[in-house]
Amino acid sequence: PASGGTAKAWARALIVFAGPGHERDLAARLRARGVAVVAIDTKVGGKQHDVRRAAVGDRLIRQVQRGDFDFVFAAPPCESFSVAHRPQLRSRRQPRGLANCPPEWRAYVAKHNDLADWTARLLQAADSAGVAWACENPADRGLQGTDAYWAKFADHAPIWAMPSFEALRAKAAASSRTFAHCAFGAPHQKLTTIWHAADLDDTFAALDEHGCTHGNEKHAEQLKGRHTNGDSRAGRAAAYPDALNEFLAQAVVASLRAAQRKAGRSAGEASSGGRVADG
């Protein structure tokens, strides 16, 4: 995969399912802060970026395992997991796809299953290697007692309910944050969850303060149906608000800087027999 780094890069990041890219997205903001970024998406690289191909997917996992990256971010396709999808394709009891899924949707569901499972493998590889990681997808609308709970759609299965992600939750040291895009300036609510390595708690915790504050007030834009030009409203909202990209870039950089300082102190203590050298 092509790298977007520079000779002066002080850290390396992998962003998978990065989208077509633009000058204000997460990859661009990290690069502007001196981070070398490898952005993977079939919209950009075609089959050379298709992680379902072993030549691509397995190679990326090996690179993560050997420490080629300091940070891994994944945002796997969410359409088949969305409560907005018609027909419903998954349920809490059948998160990998309904047994009576219409034939014309089965290959679509299988593809998303493959991408979700591969993503869980990637994140587990990062966690095992001590690499900071985060993953974004729609919030679980079936979690009672949370702001995201919606009784009407409680039987829908998000990516977080996939067996591969349940296994990741059991093995990895991870935290979960749910927030609203409207809290970052978007005209729609779009409740979203990010799972991330526990090492990112200090900088990602502020996501907890970005819930929807509109109450019963209607949002300026509803993610239902299509625009007059035929574009899906939900699809148009796939891009992160600028303020969210900026928040994530700042949080990632702050975490990586802190990790480097900690590693430097540890190295200094080791070289001085457990004491930090004066000076």
Side-chain angles (χ1 to χ4, degrees), residues 46-273:
K47 70 176 185 178
Q48 298 303 319
H49 284 201
D50 185 353
V51 299
R52 293 178 298 160
R53 298 176 62 235
V56 179
D58 290 353
R59 179 177 60 199
L60 288 172
I61 288 176
R62 287 195 302 271
Q63 289 177 327
V64 169
Q65 289 172 330
R66 71 185 183 216
D68 286 3
F69 302 102
D70 303 292
F71 175 67
V72 174
F73 186 84
C78 65
E79 293 87 348
S80 71
F81 297 98
S82 172
V83 298
H85 196 283
R86 297 292 181 274
Q88 180 178 344
L89 301 175
R90 307 173 187 274
S91 71
R92 309 297 290 199
R93 290 190 177 186
Q94 299 179 77
R96 296 188 63 82
L98 296 174
N100 63 349
C101 176
E104 63 270 24
W105 289 104
R106 289 174 186 168
Y108 179 74
V109 171
K111 175 182 177 180
H112 282 199
N113 288 348
D114 289 344
L115 294 175
D117 292 345
W118 178 86
T119 300
R121 286 176 55 212
L122 177 76
L123 301 179
Q124 182 59 64
D127 199 75
S128 298
V131 175
W133 60 269
C135 180
E136 175 271 334
N137 235 244
D140 186 349
R141 293 298 199 162
L143 281 181
Q144 295 191 38
T146 69
D147 291 341
Y149 180 72
W150 192 351
K152 179 180 179 180
F153 297 110
D155 189 45
H156 278 253
I159 199 170
W160 318 113
M162 288 284 283
S164 54
F165 272 81
E166 293 285 2
L168 174 66
R169 186 200 300 270
K171 296 177 181 177
S175 300
S176 176
R177 315 277 179 193
T178 295
F179 57 93
H181 279 211
C182 60
F184 286 98
H188 48 265
Q189 183 189 59
K190 195 173 182 181
L191 291 180
T192 299
T193 293
I194 284 182
W195 276 17
H196 63 79
D199 288 346
L200 300 176
D201 276 338
D202 288 347
T203 56
F204 274 57
L207 284 173
D208 296 340
E209 303 168 9
H210 288 78
C212 177
T213 59
H214 285 83
N216 293 326
E217 178 186 351
K218 188 176 181 179
H219 290 78
E221 183 174 314
Q222 306 297 307
L223 301 185
K224 298 178 182 178
R226 295 185 177 275
H227 291 279
T228 54
N229 66 355
D231 288 349
S232 164
R233 293 181 185 274
R236 286 268 292 271
Y240 299 163
D242 285 351
L244 176 57
N245 281 321
E246 181 65 15
F247 172 91
L248 292 174
Q250 289 184 6
V252 170
V253 166
S255 293
L256 294 180
R257 290 290 193 190
Q260 288 189 352
R261 288 194 296 270
K262 182 178 179 180
R265 288 196 300 271
S266 298
E269 291 170 1
S271 64
S272 60

